[in-house]
Amino acid sequence: MNAKLILALALVLQASVSFCEIPAPSQELVQKYESLRDTFYSRLRNAYSKLQTTVGENEQGQNAQNFIESLKDKPELQAIVKVASGLGAEARPLVDRARTSLLGLYEAYLRPHVGTGLSDTIDRIKVYLDEVMPAQ
């Protein structure tokens, strides 16, 4: 039911937005966004690999890891993974257009007012993240 509501909301928003012109984001903003996104994903991958190493050293963690490995061979789970990856592939263009539109709206209407403050806040947060969850 929730998926239907989300899809309906996305279609309504897409139709209402198509009536107005959304400015395209500048290349500088897109590069800054992609840099922040890539750093964030790198932090998550690094934290996940550390978690796997920690769990692998523990006997209970090893048992859980063996259970998860046994689930990978089940056809039901493989079917769910195929459907989810197919939905992800179908939704990718829609997500890319939405991201570009949101970046354009942010740059046109919000960045002049909150851009420097947001950038400073992100830079301050990076200092703490480098200590707790480094990207390398």
Side-chain angles (χ1 to χ4, degrees):
M1 183 66 181
N2 288 338
K4 290 179 183 178
L5 290 175
I6 291 171
L7 181 62
L9 179 63
L11 292 174
V12 168
L13 286 174
Q14 186 177 6
S16 66
V17 168
S18 66
F19 294 123
C20 62
E21 185 177 326
I22 298 175
S26 67
Q27 190 62 30
E28 177 262 333
L29 180 64
V30 171
Q31 288 174 349
K32 187 172 185 175
Y33 167 78
E34 289 175 352
S35 170
L36 290 172
R37 182 192 62 199
D38 293 343
T39 303
F40 179 73
Y41 286 156
S42 176
R43 290 179 195 280
L44 287 179
R45 279 192 303 272
N46 189 26
Y48 179 72
S49 66
K50 285 183 180 180
L51 180 67
Q52 271 188 319
T53 304
T54 304
V55 167
E57 296 169 355
N58 184 330
E59 183 180 338
Q60 290 176 336
Q62 191 64 36
N63 290 339
Q65 200 170 17
N66 291 339
F67 176 72
I68 291 171
E69 289 295 325
S70 71
L71 286 178
K72 287 183 181 178
D73 297 332
K74 295 199 179 267
E76 296 88 2
L77 183 65
Q78 291 175 356
I80 291 171
V81 168
K82 281 184 181 180
V83 168
S85 62
L87 285 174
E90 291 291 326
R92 183 168 287 133
L94 180 64
V95 170
D96 288 340
R97 278 196 317 235
R99 182 182 304 129
T100 302
S101 298
L102 287 174
L103 284 174
L105 290 172
Y106 165 75
E107 186 170 38
Y109 300 109
L110 291 176
R111 195 173 190 194
H113 306 289
V114 298
T116 56
L118 182 61
S119 182
D120 293 342
T121 303
I122 289 172
D123 291 338
R124 278 188 247 125
I125 291 171
K126 278 184 187 179
V127 172
Y128 295 110
L129 282 177
D130 286 338
E131 293 174 9
V132 177
M133 195 169 54
Q136 309 315 340

